Amino acid sequence: MTKFEESSVLLNADLGEGATSDSELFKLVDLANIACGGHAGDEHSMRLCCELALEQGVSVGPHPSYPDREGFGRRRPDGPVHNLYGELMRQVDSFLEIAALSNCPVTHLKAHGQLYNDAAFDPVLGELMLKLSLHYGNLKLLVLANSPLEIQALNAGVNILREGFPDRAYWGDGALVERSMPGAVLHDSFQVASQAKAMALGEPISSLDGEWLAFTVDTLCLHGDNPQALANARAVRAMVPRAGNPER
């Protein structure tokens, strides 16, 4: 058995965001991050995602965001950060209520969009996400691998899953390239799968500004809103053998 075949990296996807490929993606991933009203999602979509997760044995977690449905959670709002905590709790609570009614176990938590990117490097927003995770029983928090938030979480005793993004380009400092930049999103499924394989093995990948990055990941994200989401997921699943999900 090769080193790669022994990989235990899990696949996750951001789902419940209105994409048409959700039902097929549930068959391919180990973890699903479910939109809970901040950038997308409503009671119906959350309930449907819980039903699909139970059918496929997929672990679920809330996917809260800045309250920005018009901008799909990709714009940072004005105002003090402390006002955001109550909004995030409202989103998470709405998902947890539906998950409980569906008898769907909740295992993790992942911020969406701009909140995810901001929290990875802003210690104040990072602390807010750590506080949220601990408030809900220390749900495993998905964090950008090799980011300041990874260290912040470990120091705070928060359970984490270090995350890589096969379908996104990186800067040399480990940050994701802004979506407004050309080349920020990878659309070729072979390229996405190749980057996934490198990440799973801890091998270096090339950043958009010419640096080489290598980091350890526990999970790889496939964006459900990408037009190539299903093709990407199938290609990555072929590259990343299913190792079984200990949270199931």
Side-chain angles (χ1 to χ4, degrees):
M1 181 175 288
T2 67
K3 177 183 175 184
F4 185 68
E5 288 170 334
E6 294 172 347
S7 171
S8 60
V9 172
L10 303 170
L11 297 189
N12 78 81
D14 305 335
L15 301 174
E17 298 175 330
T20 58
S21 56
D22 276 14
S23 60
E24 291 301 312
L25 285 171
F26 267 103
K27 300 175 183 178
L28 297 166
V29 300
D30 304 292
L31 311 174
N33 321 305
I34 311 303
C36 43
H39 67 289
D42 54 26
E43 182 178 341
H44 172 74
S45 63
M46 287 186 277
R47 184 180 299 109
L48 177 59
C49 283
C50 286
E51 292 171 358
L52 289 169
L54 287 170
E55 288 175 8
Q56 299 299 329
V58 172
S59 296
V60 299
H63 192 38
S65 74
Y66 288 136
D68 175 32
R69 292 182 72 89
E70 183 179 348
F72 202 67
R74 292 177 176 151
R75 302 178 300 187
R76 181 167 180 165
D78 297 326
V81 169
H82 69 264
N83 290 342
L84 180 62
Y85 187 69
E87 166 63 24
L88 296 180
M89 286 188 65
R90 182 194 66 76
Q91 294 180 39
V92 173
D93 285 342
S94 67
F95 176 74
L96 294 180
E97 181 179 353
I98 289 171
L101 290 172
S102 302
N103 293 314
C104 188
V106 178
T107 61
H108 64 278
L109 169 70
K110 179 184 173 181
H112 167 80
Q114 193 60 46
L115 175 60
Y116 180 96
N117 295 329
D118 290 344
F121 292 91
D122 181 331
V124 175
L125 284 168
E127 181 65 28
L128 185 148
M129 291 307 303
L130 301 182
K131 180 180 176 183
L132 197 66
S133 171
L134 291 170
H135 176 80
Y136 291 103
N138 205 356
L139 291 175
K140 286 190 175 181
L141 182 66
L142 273 65
V143 303
L144 183 66
N146 210 33
S147 68
L149 181 56
E150 178 181 335
I151 304 302
Q152 194 176 358
L154 292 173
N155 289 337
V158 173
N159 287 318
I160 62 169
L161 291 172
R162 298 161 294 183
E163 185 174 29
F165 291 82
D167 59 1
R168 294 293 307 278
Y170 284 77
W171 291 122
D173 65 356
L176 297 175
V177 174
E178 300 85 346
R179 284 177 175 268
S180 59
M181 294 285 295
V185 179
L186 308 184
H187 297 287
D188 180 80
S189 295
F190 178 80
Q191 184 182 11
V192 172
S194 296
Q195 183 155 295
K197 180 178 179 179
M199 289 178 169
L201 290 173
E203 295 176 348
I205 64 169
S206 178
S207 70
L208 198 62
D209 48 356
E211 300 292 331
W212 287 96
L213 300 171
F215 31 72
T216 301
V217 300
D218 304 302
T219 184
L220 298 172
C221 176
L222 297 164
H223 288 95
D225 65 314
N226 188 318
Q228 292 293 113
L230 189 54
N232 289 345
R234 286 170 174 160
V236 171
R237 182 82 277 172
M239 287 280 196
V240 181
R242 192 182 294 274
N245 184 354
E247 296 296 334
R248 291 182 186 173

